[in-house]
Amino acid sequence: GDSVTQMEGPVTLSEEAFLTINCTYTATGYPSLFWYVQYPGEGLQLLLKATKADDKGSNKGFEATYRKETTSFHLEKGSVQVSDSAVYFCALSDRHDYKLSFGAGTTVTVRA
Amino acid sequence: KAGVTQTPRYLIKTRGQQVTLSCSPISGHRSVSWYQQTPGQGLQFLFEYFSETQRNKGNFPGRFSGRQFSNSRSEMNVSTLELGDSALYLCASSPGTSGIQETQYFGPGTRLLVL
C-alpha cells in the first residue's frame, strides 16, 4: 500500500540556518505529493505541492522537488526563522480516492 | 472565501457516551474527508464523502460513522466512546472532481478527550 517515511525529529536549529527534512514514499501509481505544516493548536496548512515528476513546489521560502527516480520529496529552506517552528508533514495522494497518506511528522524548533 | 470550520473545537466525554462532530467545507467544495490525529498513530484517514455519498473509508471500527448533507456540510459520529478515541479530529474539504491533484484544505480540528 501507499506509505510515506519522514526523517525522525525533533529538529532544533538556530535562526538563519538551513533546513532539510527528508521524505520518501511508496506508491503504486504516480502520486501527487504535498507538504503540510501544523502550528501549535491549529489544523494543517498546505505549504507546497507537486503533481508530477521533476515538478518543484515552493512557498514562503520552502522548496521541494518531486524525484521519481529516488521516490523522494525532500523539504528545504535556506534560512529559517523562529516563526517556522512547527510540525511538518509529508503526504501523498494516489489512486484517485481522495485519501491522503501522511508521514509521521517532523517537529522543527528554531531558536533565536 | 471562508475556510473550513469545525464545531465544537473542544469536547470532553466519558467512556460509553457518543459524540457528534460537525464540519462546514469551503463554499463550492463537495468533498469532505475526516482524519484522526493521535501522538501514537499520527494522521489516519477515516472516510470521505462527496455529494452525500461515502466514496472511501479507512480502517476504523463501525463505531465511527459519518454523513454529508445536501449543502456539503458533514458530521461524524463516534458511538460507545473508548479512552483510545481521544484525539484531534480534522476535517478537510476539496472540490472533489480533480482526483489526485486536488489540494485538501483542513479545518482547525475538534479536540476530543474521553475520560
Side-chain angles (χ1 to χ4, degrees):
Chain A
D2 300 338
S3 68
V4 177
T5 303
Q6 281 181 244
M7 64 182 283
E8 296 276 337
V11 174
T12 303
L13 303 163
S14 298
E15 246 184 340
E16 300 183 4
F18 184 86
L19 170 67
T20 299
I21 304 176
N22 290 340
C23 171
T24 58
Y25 68 88
T26 302
T28 52
Y30 299 95
S32 291
L33 302 172
F34 305 82
W35 277 101
Y36 281 88
V37 59
Q38 186 175 35
Y39 298 101
E42 299 185 11
L44 302 178
Q45 297 178 23
L46 177 71
L47 186 57
L48 52 83
K49 75 180 206 183
T51 58
K52 61 183 187 296
D54 299 325
D55 265 2
K56 178 187 283 189
S58 61
N59 185 29
K60 299 181 182 179
F62 290 90
E63 293 184 340
T65 301
Y66 187 165
R67 300 286 187 202
K68 185 168 173 291
E69 63 276 13
T70 54
T71 61
S72 65
F73 193 53
H74 304 322
L75 182 68
E76 297 181 337
K77 185 173 185 182
S79 176
V80 293
Q81 305 300 314
V82 172
S83 58
D84 294 324
S85 299
V87 182
Y88 293 82
F89 293 92
C90 185
L92 70 81
S93 175
D94 193 14
R95 291 182 285 184
H96 297 274
D97 60 4
Y98 298 93
K99 168 191 166 185
L100 285 170
S101 297
F102 286 91
T106 302
T107 300
V108 173
T109 301
V110 180
R111 301 193 187 282
Chain B
K1 264 188 186 178
V4 178
T5 58
Q6 292 187 245
T7 56
R9 291 293 309 276
Y10 303 94
L11 210 46
I12 300 175
K13 292 285 187 180
T14 55
R15 274 182 301 174
Q17 287 187 309
Q18 72 151 10
V19 68
T20 299
L21 312 181
S22 181
C23 171
S24 292
I26 291 171
S27 178
H29 286 187
R30 294 161 64 194
S31 170
V32 174
S33 299
W34 289 89
Y35 294 83
Q36 182 196 63
Q37 185 178 21
T38 60
Q41 299 298 316
L43 281 151
Q44 295 185 284
F45 172 80
L46 281 154
F47 27 65
E48 186 256 352
Y49 287 86
F50 178 81
S51 290
E52 302 178 67
T53 300
Q54 186 182 87
R55 285 197 298 196
N56 195 9
K57 187 178 188 305
N59 193 24
F60 278 81
R63 300 186 296 107
F64 291 82
S65 63
R67 59 178 176 168
Q68 187 180 35
F69 302 94
S70 58
N71 62 357
S72 295
R73 190 177 69 84
S74 177
E75 289 181 347
M76 69 162 281
N77 183 276
V78 189
S79 62
T80 320
L81 284 165
E82 300 177 359
L83 295 179
D85 297 332
S86 294
L88 181 66
Y89 290 88
L90 292 164
C91 166
S93 79
S94 70
T97 55
S98 300
I100 64 172
Q101 296 185 14
E102 277 192 6
T103 297
Q104 292 191 22
Y105 296 89
F106 285 80
T110 293
R111 187 165 295 282
L112 171 66
L113 178 61
V114 181
L115 301 175

